[in-house]
Amino acid sequence: VEFDTVEDAVYYEFLCEKIPQRLVEPFYENTKYNKTIGCELLAIGQKESDWCIFVVLKTNSNGTVDMGPLGLNSSHLSEYWYQNVITKKAQNYRYDSDICYMIASIYYYRDLRNSMGTYTAYRQYNGGPTAMTKAVTKNYADDVSKFESQIVKEYESFKRENTERITRLFKDRDTYISKCSDQNHPDLL
């Protein structure tokens, strides 16, 4: 993974501490442009699966199934947006259902969140279009909000403790790249 900024490298290392290793790179690549939404999704994953990976998490009362670490509802599998996400965004992971479902969940949640705000998006992510009529979705959103608050505190602490170290690594990398360029050793870059 190449990092454009120190902040991206810090975020990546934080993810390495929070979620299973095989999920880190695809989660990072699909959330690095909005780390706030990334933290919200970390909270959803904690609520849905506690970041244990299961293709099928549970069967719902309406016969649908929640899948992957973020609990994507199977009702979305036939929808155009899902097919589009999997075809384009999850192309490199098409043989790993958990990662495909996770990437689809990231885009589904992001769209909900961008159109209705965080708390309402939590409720709708959990309960679908009729979420606001279901008391259980309020409880879900309250739980996820608590997880999110804790994750944000952990991330801020992680940044304070690791930014200086990672900044030094970036400077060392830039010095090395510059030295190789100056010596006309493009094969070392």
Side-chain angles (χ1 to χ4, degrees):
V1 176
E2 287 290 323
F3 304 109
D4 294 329
T5 66
V6 169
E7 184 179 358
D8 286 346
V10 169
Y11 179 63
Y12 183 88
E13 284 195 16
F14 179 70
L15 293 177
C16 288
E17 291 191 1
K18 297 303 289 178
I19 64 177
Q21 189 59 44
R22 75 182 180 99
L23 302 179
V24 170
E25 186 174 341
F27 189 93
Y28 168 78
E29 289 298 332
N30 289 283
T31 63
K32 67 183 177 182
Y33 299 111
N34 192 325
K35 293 165 184 68
T36 299
I37 288 178
C39 287
E40 293 166 11
L41 285 157
L42 288 172
I44 289 172
Q46 189 169 347
K47 174 68 177 172
E48 290 287 344
S49 70
D50 200 21
W51 288 101
C52 295
I53 299 98
F54 300 104
V55 172
V56 176
L57 286 175
K58 67 177 181 174
T59 301
N60 300 308
S61 59
N62 65 0
T64 62
V65 176
D66 290 343
M67 303 173 303
L70 295 172
L72 181 70
N73 190 285
S74 62
S75 66
H76 300 300
L77 298 181
S78 62
E79 295 175 10
Y80 173 79
W81 73 266
Y82 174 81
Q83 296 298 324
N84 192 42
V85 166
I86 293 305
T87 317
K88 293 181 181 163
K89 302 289 186 186
Q91 180 177 0
N92 294 337
Y93 304 101
R94 64 184 171 274
Y95 299 111
D96 188 326
S97 298
D98 284 327
I99 292 176
C100 290
Y101 297 144
M102 180 185 73
I103 291 171
S105 296
I106 289 168
Y107 284 87
Y108 176 63
Y109 174 74
R110 186 202 64 198
D111 289 346
L112 289 174
R113 201 262 199 188
N114 287 340
S115 66
M116 60 188 63
T118 304
Y119 190 81
T120 304
Y122 286 157
R123 289 186 75 176
Q124 187 149 351
Y125 184 87
N126 175 249
T130 60
M132 302 314 279
T133 64
K134 301 174 185 173
V136 70
T137 66
K138 181 183 180 316
N139 296 338
Y140 177 91
D142 289 344
D143 288 348
V144 174
S145 293
K146 288 176 190 170
F147 290 141
E148 175 201 348
S149 178
Q150 183 59 39
I151 288 167
V152 168
K153 286 178 189 173
E154 291 171 9
Y155 181 49
E156 291 303 319
S157 176
F158 188 87
K159 285 195 299 189
R160 280 190 305 277
E161 295 168 7
N162 291 282
T163 297
E164 186 178 319
R165 175 184 57 80
I166 293 173
T167 300
R168 282 194 308 273
L169 292 173
F170 258 70
K171 286 180 183 175
D172 291 345
R173 180 192 73 165
D174 291 343
T175 300
Y176 176 76
I177 290 171
S178 176
K179 182 179 176 183
C180 291
S181 294
D182 291 346
Q183 295 176 358
N184 289 324
H185 291 288
D187 54 316
L188 297 176
L189 298 177

